[in-house]
Amino acid sequence: MIILAIETSCDESAISIVDAKGGLKSPVFKVLAHTVSSQIELHKEFGGVVPMLAKREHIKNLPPLLDEALRKAKISPAKIDVVAVTYGPGLEPALWAGINFAQELAQKWEKPLIAVNHMEGHIFSPLLANSSKLKAKSLKYPLLSLLISGGHTELVLAEKPLEYKIIGSTRDDAVGEAFDKVARILDLPYPGGPEISRLADKWTTKNEYSYPLPRPMISSKDFDFSFSGLKTAVLYLVKKLGELNDEQKIAIAKEFQDSAIDVLLKKTSGALAKFGAKTLIIGGGVVSNKELKKRFTALVKKEFPKVTLLLPDAKLSTDNATMIALAGYFRLTKGEVSDPANIKAQGNLKLG
Ligand code: KG4
Ligand code: ZN
């Protein structure tokens, strides 16, 4: 089955074409085209994503991306079996740009349409790492997903395929949002996550500065998170210190990153133990963080050797349409299909 997928939930316009077969039991995917057009440069001057601007850019970007995707995949629209599109969560004006485009294509090409939850896309994003067949077959349940992005921080449990329960989430800022805000406090450009991790990577034991920061909610008995206090702690610290030199910025970035990772690790290991998860998936833009990947890999190896940890490759960590094609495919294998006229953008769409 050939799926053309469209993603416009935030500041990446993306279209992928994926050939999928094998169903839920032994899925095999072949990515025929993976195109992304990032709007980061445009939103940079505003220090964050401006929804109406994002919408306008998506509308402009989608037609050339479609041409590029069809050209790369070397297929005509007639060969496409179904169109998949993200309908939430995300910025509603941005989501509408993708939905309207998908509706037009489905009508023009006379193809069915499947609406996809962006977060479910992140859950399936690691399936294409190295060998898709091998990874897909290793999905054992209960499956725990830690979803960490600019808009989300949640632990999602699936006892069975495609059935989700959110067992914990952030009570205020998402972890990616905290990275972005702390970057702004340190005068670093948007998006802040990669900037903070780049600075933190420069830290060595020779750094003479030490600024302990809190680990919010690390000892609470639930699986919820809170990152807004951590960001505020950085804000007060920077206000107190005044002008910062490079070494001070590095020390702050490192401590902030350690704090965020410590909390994510502690809550995730608690959930792995409590629910007896057999697979751990980490998805969302923050999984690009090298230190985070390193520490989760070490945690699973040492404390949960029976758990399979699945991490997406770099190009599938941040928003893309290939992961939307995968999630759409699994939904279709369950017999789901959307009524094109009834797809609505849902900014706060939840899993489960
Ligand atoms: O999933 P994503 O591309 O978009 C959303 O759905 O939000 O995630 C973007 C988020 C941003 O907050 C960005 O700062 C963060 O992922 N991010 C990182 C890194 N790379 C991207 N955070 C920490 N370390 C990174 N290396
Ligand atoms: Zn995302």
Side-chain angles (χ1 to χ4, degrees):
M1 172 188 289
I2 298 186
I3 304 163
L4 180 129
I6 301 166
E7 155 66 38
T8 63
S9 66
C10 192
D11 60 350
E12 323 277 358
S13 324
I15 296 186
S16 287
I17 302 176
V18 176
D19 190 357
K21 58 182 183 191
L24 258 171
K25 286 230 165 66
S26 45
V28 184
F29 303 109
K30 192 163 170 216
V31 181
L32 304 178
H34 175 97
T35 70
V36 184
S37 171
S38 172
Q39 306 174 7
I40 284 178
E41 286 307 316
L42 180 78
H43 297 284
K44 228 174 198 163
E45 64 176 293
F46 303 98
V49 182
V50 185
M52 289 314 286
L53 207 56
K55 174 179 182 153
R56 201 189 67 190
E57 285 302 296
H58 288 312
I59 291 172
K60 206 162 78 188
N61 291 340
L62 289 172
L65 282 179
L66 175 65
D67 291 344
E68 187 189 336
L70 289 170
R71 202 172 54 239
K72 280 190 176 155
K74 297 195 185 75
I75 58 167
S76 67
K79 291 266 162 53
I80 287 163
D81 295 300
V82 58
V83 177
V85 64
T86 304
Y87 74 112
L91 306 167
E92 287 194 1
L95 288 162
W96 273 119
I99 294 170
N100 290 336
F101 191 72
Q103 285 167 326
E104 281 164 29
L105 289 186
Q107 195 183 19
K108 189 164 85 181
W109 296 343
E110 297 176 355
K111 307 288 177 188
L113 199 53
I114 181 86
V116 174
N117 183 317
H118 178 85
M119 302 317 286
E120 190 170 40
H122 277 303
I123 291 180
F124 291 120
S125 64
L127 291 192
L128 287 170
N130 307 324
S131 153
S132 60
K133 201 167 178 181
L134 183 112
K135 297 284 174 185
K137 277 200 165 165
S138 63
L139 285 187
K140 295 207 174 67
Y141 294 80
L143 180 152
L144 183 71
S145 299
L146 172 67
L147 301 178
I148 41 179
S149 70
H152 289 82
T153 304
E154 45 192 40
L155 277 164
V156 182
L157 183 72
E159 301 267 12
K160 289 190 200 142
L162 310 182
E163 287 181 21
Y164 307 103
K165 192 171 163 218
I166 299 177
I167 56 165
S169 54
T170 183
R171 296 192 180 169
D172 39 58
D173 291 355
V175 63
E177 188 180 356
F179 270 85
D180 294 335
K181 287 179 175 170
V182 166
R184 211 177 308 160
I185 296 168
L186 295 178
D187 265 336
L188 303 167
Y190 175 85
E195 299 288 331
I196 296 275
S197 62
R198 199 175 45 76
L199 265 194
D201 284 348
K202 290 187 184 165
W203 185 88
T204 66
T205 47
K206 292 204 187 88
N207 190 307
E208 58 184 295
Y209 301 98
S210 164
Y211 304 113
L213 290 169
R215 267 65 178 155
M217 295 185 70
I218 199 159
S219 302
S220 72
K221 295 268 174 292
D222 52 29
F223 299 110
D224 284 346
F225 304 89
S226 164
F227 291 101
S228 133
L230 177 59
K231 165 211 68 192
T232 310
V234 175
L235 182 66
Y236 288 149
L237 173 68
V238 170
K239 274 196 175 150
K240 196 177 81 189
L241 295 172
E243 189 83 14
L244 299 174
N245 64 35
D246 287 352
E247 286 296 294
Q248 284 176 303
K249 281 194 183 181
I250 288 169
I252 295 169
K254 169 77 176 149
E255 172 69 6
F256 163 76
Q257 180 174 282
D258 282 352
S259 164
I261 297 175
D262 283 352
V263 179
L264 293 170
L265 272 177
K266 175 85 190 301
K267 296 281 169 147
T268 306
S269 55
L272 283 172
K274 176 165 177 186
F275 298 100
K278 295 195 172 123
T279 309
L280 172 62
I281 282 180
I282 311 182
V286 182
V287 75
S288 316
N289 189 287
K290 273 197 231 114
E291 180 69 15
L292 179 135
K293 278 198 255 200
K294 203 167 93 188
R295 290 193 54 200
F296 269 95
T297 305
L299 170 89
V300 170
K301 195 170 169 204
K302 185 159 170 259
E303 288 177 40
F304 301 93
K306 291 202 174 122
V307 172
T308 306
L309 171 65
L310 299 179
L311 300 168
D313 285 344
K315 79 171 183 185
L316 292 181
S317 297
T318 45
D319 292 346
N320 65 85
T322 297
M323 68 184 196
I324 303 305
L326 267 50
Y329 174 66
F330 289 130
R331 290 278 148 202
L332 289 160
T333 61
K334 271 188 77 179
E336 285 183 28
V337 56
S338 308
D339 173 1
N342 274 334
I343 301 178
K344 293 201 169 46
Q346 290 187 34
N348 293 317
L349 182 67
K350 299 261 181 298
L351 275 172

